Amino acid sequence: MCGIVAYIGKQDAYPIIIKGLQRLEYRGYDSAGVALLNGTLNVYKKAGKVSDLAEFVKGKNIKGHVGMGHTRWATHGEPNDRNAHPHFSQSRDFAIIHNGIIENYASIKAELVKQGHVFESDTDTEVLIHLIEEIYNKAGVPLEEAVRLALGEVVGAYAIVILSSSEPDKLIAARKGSPIVVGIGKDEYFVASDATPIVEYTKNVAYLNDGEVAVIDQGKLTVKTIGNEIKIPFVQELELKLEALEKGGFEHFMLKEIYEQPRSIADSMRGRFDSRAGRIKLGGLREFEQRIVNAKRIMIAACGTSWHAGLVAEYLIEDLARIPVEVEYASEFRYRNPIIYEDDVLIAISQSGETADTLAAVELAKSKGATIFGVCNVVGSSIPRATHAGSYTHAGPEIGVASTKAFTAQVTVLTLLALQLAHKRGTLSESRFRQVLNELESIPAKVERALTSNEKVRAIAERYKDARNFLYLGRGYGFPVALEGALKLKEISYIHAEGYPAAEMKHGPIALIDDEMPVVVIATKHGSYEKVVSNIQEVKARKGKIIAIVTEGDEAVKEMADYVIEIPETDEILVPLVSVIPLQLLAYHIAVMRGCNVDQPRNLAKSVTVE
C-alpha cells in the first residue's frame, strides 16, 4: 500500500526513481509523483499510473542527483493531482512523501492555519511538512532535528522521506508502523518502502526500526531514534534476485506466480523435514519450541488470504496436535478486548510481514505475555522482527496483488508446524506421521499435475465470465479452500462470490440458486465426500450449475456435475495445497476475459500498512 523510492548520490536521480516506481506498482496505488532537487525543488505529480506521470514530465526539468518518488493509495482526500505526493511546505522549500496516516492531523492543521499556513491538498501528509517547516524556522535547528521534533508531536503511522532546498545535500527518512529500507551503495544511498526498487543497484540494506530517523548527509548514513539516541544500523544482504521481479514470458505476474507453486512449495519445505528419518526441524522455533508444544490454546491472527491459511492451520493443529485453536481477523482482534493468557501462543500470518492490523495484534498479545510465532514471506519485515519465533515461507517475491503462491507456501509451513507439534506431543502415531511426510514430499509434483487442467479451466471460464454471482462450497479441509476461491474471484474479476461450508447452504444461500448460478464445489474423496455429494444433488435439484473439483477417476460426481476438474489423489490434510490451484486459474481466466487488470485490481493494495 503506497510506495516510496528515493535516491541520493552521483547518478541522475530521475531514471532510478521512475524505474523504482514501476517496480512498486504491484503495491496498489491511484496517483504518482516525484520531487527532484537541483538548486530548486521541482515536484511533478499526476493521478493515474506511473506511465501517466512519465508522460507528464516529458520536456520538464528532471535534472538532479537527489530525488524521491511516491505511489499513493488514497486515505485522506480523493485520488487526484493535488492530493498526490510529494507535498510542499508553505514556502515550497521542503517536500515530503508519506505512507501511513497521521491521526491527529486535524488539530495540528487547525493550529497551523491560525499561524497563517495555507494548505493546497486534503491530505494529512501536507500537514506534517508544514509542521516540520514551522519548527525549522522558529527553532532554528537543522532539518533532521526539526523532523525529529515534529514526529514527537504526531500520532499515527508513517514512513516518510523529506528533502529541502535549504539543505540540498541531505535526505531524511523515518518510520513508525510502516516499513522503510535503506540501500547502501558506493557513494550513494537508496530509500524505499520495500527492496524491489533497490535490488538492481545494491544488495546491502538496512531496515529502519519503529521510531528511527535516518539522515543521509554528504555520503554518510546516521540513524537516531526520535528521542535522539544514536543507533548502529544493522546491514544485511538481500536474498532477492532481479529476475524474480520480471514476468518471465507470462502475460501477468499472477499467472507466473500460480505456475511457480511447485517450486515455491518445495522451497518452503526444503531442509525442514526428512521423510526417511521421520524428522521435522523448523529452525525458527528455537528456544520457544517447548512453550508452543505445551500451549493450552493457540490463536491465529491474519487478514485476507492469510486468514484462510490460518483456517487450514486450525483444522491441522486441532486434528493432529489436539490443541484448541481460535482464528482471529487481526483487524478485529484488539478492538474486542480479547482474553489473552501468558501461556497462550499467537501465530501471526502475513505475506508482507507489514500488515498493520496483524502487527497490532502481535503487539497486543506480546504485551499480555503470550508467545508469538510468525509466518511471513519477506525477510527483515516488521512482523518477523517483532515475534519471538517463526518461519519464513520462502515463496519468493509475490508481485500480483491477489495472493496465490503465498497461500500455498503458508499452508505448507503451517502443515509442518502442526505435524511437528503433533509428533512432539505424541498425538500422532509414528506410522501416520511418516505417511504424511512421505505424501508431503510428493505435493510439488501433484501441484504440477493440477496445473495441467489450465485449458479445461479456461473453457469453463469462457462459459461463466459474465456470471453476476458465484457460490463456493466445501466441507472440512475444503471449506477454507472454498473461501479462498471466492476471494480470488472477487478480488480480480469483480464478480460477487461467497464461500460457505457446504452444509450451511441449506441455512440461507440455497435461496440464491437458480439456473444462472454457478456453484463451485470442493468434492474430493475424503471424510465428508458422501455429504458433499448430497449437497451437489440439492443444487442440481434447483437447476444450479455445478463446477466440481474432484479426485482423479471420480465417476459419481462426474455424472452429476456440469463441469469437472480433476486433481491428483492426496492425503486429506494436504488437499488444500492441490485443490486451490484450479480455483486460482478459474479466477485468473475469468478476470482476463472480462478485461480486468489482473495484477493491480481496483481499490486493492498488496500490503495493507494502514489500519
Side-chain angles (χ1 to χ4, degrees):
M1 182 174 290
C2 298
I4 282 174
V5 59
Y7 174 80
I8 183 168
K10 295 179 180 179
Q11 300 186 61
D12 287 334
Y14 176 76
I16 294 169
I17 292 166
I18 203 74
K19 185 183 285 187
L21 292 181
Q22 290 165 345
R23 293 241 187 262
L24 290 169
E25 286 189 286
Y26 78 97
R27 292 173 68 93
Y29 70 105
D30 45 58
S31 59
V34 296
L36 300 160
L37 192 50
N38 184 29
T40 59
L41 192 52
N42 297 308
V43 168
Y44 310 110
K45 51 188 184 176
K46 197 74 179 166
K49 296 298 183 182
V50 173
S51 57
D52 298 318
L53 172 66
E55 188 66 29
F56 177 66
V57 303
K58 284 182 178 177
K60 295 182 170 60
N61 181 4
I62 55 172
K63 293 182 179 179
H65 301 295
V66 184
M68 61 187 183
H70 189 264
T71 52
R72 176 181 186 247
W73 189 86
T75 54
H76 296 75
E78 66 183 70
N80 56 30
D81 291 354
R82 69 189 184 91
N83 287 331
H85 296 208
H87 288 291
F88 274 125
S89 65
Q90 179 87 343
S91 68
R92 306 180 84 80
D93 290 335
F94 299 77
I96 187 173
I97 54 178
H98 167 223
N99 293 351
I101 293 176
I102 306 302
E103 294 176 12
N104 62 335
Y105 83 98
S107 58
I108 295 172
K109 184 175 184 177
E111 186 59 35
L112 289 169
V113 167
K114 288 180 185 177
Q115 297 176 37
H117 287 254
V118 178
F119 293 88
E120 299 178 357
S121 77
D122 304 314
T123 68
D124 54 331
T125 301
E126 189 185 5
V127 174
L128 180 54
I129 196 63
H130 278 246
L131 176 62
I132 289 167
E133 183 180 57
E134 182 73 14
I135 293 171
Y136 182 86
N137 289 334
K138 285 192 173 180
V141 294
L143 178 57
E144 61 266 31
E145 182 70 3
V147 170
R148 194 178 62 76
L149 292 171
L151 294 178
E153 294 187 25
V154 302
V155 177
Y158 52 78
I160 58 171
V161 179
I162 292 162
L163 299 178
S164 172
S165 57
S166 301
E167 300 188 33
D169 297 321
K170 193 175 288 183
L171 183 150
I172 296 173
R175 72 155 286 179
K176 180 185 176 185
S178 198
I180 282 283
V181 57
V182 179
I184 303 165
K186 186 177 180 182
D187 300 321
E188 60 184 358
Y189 290 86
F190 309 82
V191 176
S193 44
D194 66 48
T196 53
I198 291 175
V199 65
E200 64 185 283
Y201 305 106
T202 181
K203 290 286 189 180
N204 298 317
V205 299
Y207 291 90
L208 292 189
N209 293 309
D210 265 4
E212 290 184 344
V213 180
V215 181
I216 303 166
D217 186 8
Q218 298 183 353
K220 182 183 177 183
L221 170 65
T222 304
V223 177
K224 291 183 177 181
T225 66
I226 292 173
N228 208 29
E229 178 187 354
I230 292 179
K231 293 286 186 178
I232 305 300
F234 173 67
V235 179
Q236 61 189 81
E237 187 172 328
L238 285 174
E239 297 179 3
L240 185 63
K241 294 180 180 178
L242 184 59
E243 56 266 29
L245 304 177
E246 306 294 343
K247 290 181 183 175
F250 287 89
E251 186 178 354
H252 297 96
F253 279 111
M254 182 181 178
L255 186 61
K256 174 185 178 236
E257 288 155 8
I258 290 172
Y259 272 85
E260 284 177 340
Q261 286 174 107
R263 187 181 68 198
S264 58
I265 290 170
D267 287 345
S268 294
M269 65 174 73
R270 182 174 289 114
R272 287 174 162 164
F273 74 92
D274 184 335
S275 60
R276 291 182 181 178
R279 184 175 65 248
I280 293 176
K281 184 179 181 182
L282 292 176
L285 281 176
R286 294 187 298 274
E287 69 268 26
F288 293 93
E289 179 179 38
Q290 210 53 46
R291 290 180 66 179
I292 298 173
V293 168
N294 294 330
K296 294 180 180 177
R297 179 179 67 158
I298 292 176
M299 297 174 290
I300 297 174
C303 301
T305 286
S306 296
W307 190 83
H308 297 154
L311 274 184
V312 176
E314 178 183 26
Y315 282 64
L316 288 164
I317 294 169
E318 291 194 341
D319 185 6
L320 304 178
R322 310 306 296 155
I323 303 172
V325 178
E326 297 175 11
V327 184
E328 304 275 0
Y329 284 110
S331 55
E332 287 293 315
F333 183 62
R334 65 179 170 141
Y335 294 110
R336 62 172 184 78
N337 193 22
I339 299 168
I340 304 171
Y341 300 107
E342 289 187 358
D343 56 0
D344 283 338
V345 171
L346 177 80
I347 299 175
I349 311 172
S350 167
Q351 188 281 139
S352 67
E354 301 292 350
T355 310
D357 290 315
T358 307
L359 190 55
V362 166
E363 297 300 342
L364 174 61
K366 275 179 74 176
S367 73
K368 302 292 187 181
T371 300
I372 316 298
F373 184 89
V375 177
C376 299
N377 189 36
V378 180
V379 176
S381 54
S382 296
I383 289 174
R385 287 186 285 153
T387 54
H388 296 109
S391 293
Y392 287 113
T393 54
H394 302 306
E398 189 176 63
I399 306 300
V401 168
S403 188
T404 52
K405 65 177 181 175
F407 173 76
T408 50
Q410 288 167 350
V411 171
T412 299
V413 169
L414 292 163
T415 301
L416 288 170
L417 176 62
L419 285 166
Q420 184 169 0
L421 293 178
H423 198 233
K424 294 284 185 181
R425 289 169 62 87
T427 54
L428 199 62
S429 70
E430 188 66 22
S431 60
R432 174 66 175 141
F433 178 68
R434 287 174 179 266
Q435 177 191 13
V436 177
L437 287 185
N438 284 327
E439 183 60 20
L440 191 58
E441 213 163 34
S442 72
I443 288 297
K446 291 187 175 182
V447 169
E448 192 83 59
R449 279 168 56 195
L451 287 165
T452 63
S453 67
N454 183 54
E455 289 307 312
K456 186 164 192 176
V457 173
R458 191 201 303 267
I460 297 170
E462 182 67 47
R463 167 66 180 83
Y464 291 109
K465 69 182 189 305
D466 297 318
R468 298 181 63 185
N469 300 283
F470 266 75
L471 201 58
Y472 287 71
L473 302 177
R475 282 178 180 253
Y477 287 95
F479 168 50
V481 177
L483 291 174
E484 177 61 12
L487 177 61
K488 287 285 101 45
L489 190 69
K490 281 185 279 195
E491 284 180 310
I492 62 172
S493 74
Y494 318 139
I495 294 174
H496 175 255
E498 295 296 335
Y500 276 92
E504 286 297 305
M505 181 184 61
K506 295 189 290 292
H507 298 278
I510 199 167
L512 298 172
I513 294 173
D514 58 22
D515 58 5
E516 294 297 317
M517 172 68 85
V519 181
V520 181
V521 185
I522 318 301
T524 53
K525 279 195 171 179
H526 294 104
S528 301
Y529 176 74
E530 299 299 335
K531 299 288 186 182
V532 173
V533 169
S534 296
N535 296 137
I536 291 173
Q537 291 169 331
E538 289 164 356
V539 173
K540 291 304 295 178
R542 289 154 183 84
K543 300 183 179 180
K545 305 301 181 184
I546 294 289
I547 303 167
I549 311 300
V550 303
T551 306
E552 282 177 338
D554 186 327
E555 295 298 326
V557 173
K558 190 177 289 187
E559 290 182 6
M560 290 181 279
D562 297 272
Y563 299 92
V564 166
I565 304 167
E566 293 185 324
I567 61 171
E569 166 71 41
T570 191
D571 193 286
E572 181 178 12
I573 71 169
L574 304 180
V575 163
L577 291 167
V578 185
S579 59
V580 75
I581 303 299
L583 303 188
Q584 294 170 347
L585 289 169
L586 181 64
Y588 170 79
H589 287 302
I590 287 176
V592 170
M593 291 172 185
R594 290 168 64 88
C596 301
N597 189 336
V598 172
D599 287 334
Q600 298 168 35
R602 69 188 182 203
N603 303 331
L604 294 179
K606 182 62 181 172
S607 54
V608 183
T609 56
V610 296
E611 293 183 52

